[in-house]
Amino acid sequence: MPDVHVLVNDFLNNLKKRKIEGSQATARQTAELLRSVISQQRVSYTNQAGALMDAVRAVGEQLIAANPVELAVGNIVRRVLHIIREEDLSLTTAAIAGLGVSAVSDDDDDAEGNDHPVLSAASLAAAARSTLRPPSLQTLLEDVPDSAAVPHTSSSGGDSDGKSRSADKSSRTRKLKHDVIEAVNELIQDITTCHEQIAEQAVEHIHQNEVILTLGSSRTVLEFLCAAKEKKRSFRVFVAEGAPRYQGHLLAKELVTRGLQTTLITDSAVFAMISRVNMVIVGAHAVMANGGVIAPVGLNMVALAAQRHAVPFVVLAGTHKLCPLYPHNPEVLLNELRSPSELLDFGEFSDCMDFGNDTSSPLLHVVNPTFDYVPPKLVNLFITDTGGHNPSYMYRLIADYYSADDLVVQRRPTGGS
């Protein structure tokens, strides 16, 4: 197996150089890298979950800094941290339950006659609430007072009991890593199949003889529309070209290849054509906790046109694009500027780009943003691989995948008072 440091450095270079196209590919590769980090991480008997989380945070902090605009990286890092918390809580709860749980009894005779340790339901709940907080639950289990432990036997019996506890701790360590890796594998599978899961819902939303408008190119939108076509739905698609990269040209060509009636329009023609449209279906770069959408540039204009003409605006997004942060959070970088060469030819405009005689800056400035922000009030429906959701419900859906303690991915201080 390759050294994890080599894998991390290679992935960091790919992120910095923008060599990975698309949120899905980025999310999948991030999850695979973190799986390798967890697999090769050596953990002690105590605070096993904390050790795994520190390792994930250390790598995740570097990955997020390498490409802050690709929010899918931070999403997956936080999802993996949440998985570790959930699996550790599950194992800890099972271990505590194995010691025995009972209600408090008023029968003194029963209490005196029972030589085995008994934990109340209140003790179990208190221990569960303390998960991953100092002192760790692992330590809590191991430091059960002698008065509550199984009565002492002979020295040979004590040695046997010590070996048994050591073997149990080793087994629990392997069990935690195994369960976490299995959960990460399920996450990778969900990311890989998100397009198919979303596309299965197409027939519920696209009806006969409708006109659908989209902008740019999105594989999720492509599979969604083609799935409706395969279900014998007959409809027409208007594709806004998505200047300046003109990704809509690629989508229009692919739709025609799949047998869909397609009309390619300019971005500036959206308002002119929107009155003929029954539904707007678009992809997203990220979905924020407030239901706002970070999407390819131009989509805010499409959303405003749809609202003006009362046309439903539907956003397709896999759960790996659900971000637990809000747009105003300082950790969120909403946009980046692409090369001006996508807008104009430097040779043709070289005279405009020359520095003026009395100024220290060019006479012509070119701004080429990558993304738009679409506020939640302009979105009618989100369709994810788990189903359709209103914008007002997104915060609750996102809460199922993340822990509030992991919103800021930073390594915790290792010592000091």
Side-chain angles (χ1 to χ4, degrees):
M1 180 179 292
D3 183 69
V4 68
H5 297 291
V6 175
L7 296 176
V8 171
N9 290 333
D10 289 344
F11 192 59
L12 285 173
N13 289 332
N14 290 336
L15 287 176
K16 291 176 180 178
K17 297 177 180 178
R18 306 300 196 264
K19 288 187 176 181
I20 306 175
E21 287 286 341
S23 297
Q24 186 200 30
T26 304
R28 186 186 70 251
Q29 294 183 37
T30 301
E32 291 172 348
L33 176 63
L34 294 180
R35 180 181 60 186
S36 298
V37 170
I38 293 171
S39 177
Q40 299 188 31
Q41 178 67 25
R42 297 177 63 89
V43 295
S44 60
Y45 290 150
T46 60
N47 199 19
Q48 303 155 15
L52 292 179
M53 293 177 67
D54 287 342
V56 171
R57 284 196 191 98
V59 175
E61 192 174 359
Q62 300 177 62
L63 299 182
I64 294 172
N67 189 355
V69 177
E70 186 51 81
L71 297 178
V73 174
N75 295 344
I76 297 303
V77 172
R78 297 181 183 95
R79 287 281 296 271
V80 172
L81 291 173
H82 182 69
I83 285 172
I84 296 173
R85 292 179 183 275
E86 290 292 301
E87 296 300 334
D88 183 63
L89 176 60
S90 176
L91 287 177
T92 302
T93 303
I96 294 177
L99 295 178
V101 180
S102 70
V104 178
S105 174
D106 293 331
D107 191 343
D108 295 337
D109 294 337
D110 291 342
E112 293 175 358
N114 187 4
D115 293 333
H116 296 285
V118 175
L119 296 180
S120 67
S123 300
L124 176 60
R129 287 194 299 268
S130 303
T131 304
L132 296 174
R133 296 173 184 169
S136 69
L137 283 176
Q138 190 67 40
T139 304
L140 182 65
L141 288 176
E142 294 170 359
D143 293 342
V144 176
D146 292 340
S147 59
V150 176
H152 293 287
T153 59
S154 63
S155 58
S156 60
D159 294 339
S160 175
D161 181 65
K163 293 178 181 179
S164 175
R165 291 183 61 185
S166 177
D168 179 65
K169 290 188 293 184
S170 177
S171 174
R172 195 176 302 154
T173 302
R174 293 193 299 270
K175 176 66 173 171
L176 177 62
K177 288 184 63 174
H178 175 271
D179 289 352
V180 169
I181 291 174
E182 284 298 313
V184 174
N185 286 336
E186 293 178 5
L187 172 60
I188 294 172
Q189 181 66 19
D190 290 342
I191 296 171
T192 304
T193 61
C194 71
H195 297 312
E196 291 77 7
Q197 298 293 329
I198 294 174
E200 289 179 357
Q201 307 169 59
V203 72
E204 302 173 9
H205 300 279
I206 298 179
H207 305 99
Q208 193 74 6
N209 299 324
E210 285 191 331
V211 177
I212 308 298
L213 172 66
T214 188
L215 180 142
S217 180
S218 165
R219 184 187 167 193
T220 311
V221 173
L222 172 64
E223 298 298 336
F224 191 82
L225 297 175
C226 291
K229 174 68 166 56
E230 292 173 358
K231 296 295 184 179
K232 308 303 180 182
R233 290 284 195 269
S234 177
F235 57 95
R236 174 175 290 275
V237 183
F238 288 173
V239 181
E241 59 185 356
R245 299 182 69 191
Y246 301 106
Q247 295 293 306
H249 296 180
L250 302 177
L251 178 62
K253 182 178 180 180
E254 187 64 30
L255 290 174
V256 170
T257 302
R258 303 276 193 101
L260 278 81
Q261 301 180 48
T262 305
T263 301
L264 184 66
I265 64 175
T266 61
D267 297 344
S268 56
V270 167
F271 261 97
M273 304 295 290
I274 194 69
S275 60
R276 301 172 56 186
V277 172
N278 299 105
M279 183 184 302
V280 176
I281 300 178
V282 298
H285 176 70
V287 178
M288 310 307 293
N290 66 335
V293 179
I294 300 177
V297 66
L299 273 181
N300 187 59
M301 172 192 66
V302 176
L304 289 171
Q307 183 192 51
R308 178 67 179 82
H309 289 266
V311 175
F313 188 87
V314 179
V315 177
L316 311 181
T319 52
H320 61 277
K321 294 185 178 182
L322 305 183
C323 181
L325 304 178
Y326 289 85
H328 61 265
N329 288 139
E331 299 86 4
V332 177
L333 184 59
L334 290 178
N335 222 328
E336 67 177 352
L337 300 180
R338 297 183 63 86
S339 171
S341 63
E342 294 180 348
L343 294 177
L344 50 78
D345 180 8
F346 282 117
E348 182 180 354
F349 287 83
S350 59
D351 53 337
C352 300
M353 302 295 290
D354 289 340
F355 287 85
N357 295 330
D358 300 326
T359 62
S360 59
S361 62
L363 298 177
L364 175 65
H365 295 270
V366 180
V367 179
N368 184 16
T370 304
F371 302 112
D372 259 348
Y373 175 70
V374 181
K377 66 180 180 179
L378 299 181
V379 181
N380 296 102
L381 181 68
F382 287 98
I383 300 178
T384 72
D385 32 324
T386 62
H389 309 282
N390 290 325
S392 59
Y393 182 74
M394 295 310 293
Y395 82 96
R396 184 64 188 87
L397 180 64
I398 288 173
D400 292 337
Y401 295 108
Y402 302 98
S403 170
D405 294 332
D406 302 322
L407 298 187
V408 178
V409 180
Q410 290 181 344
R411 283 171 287 187
R412 303 292 174 85
T414 56
S417 58

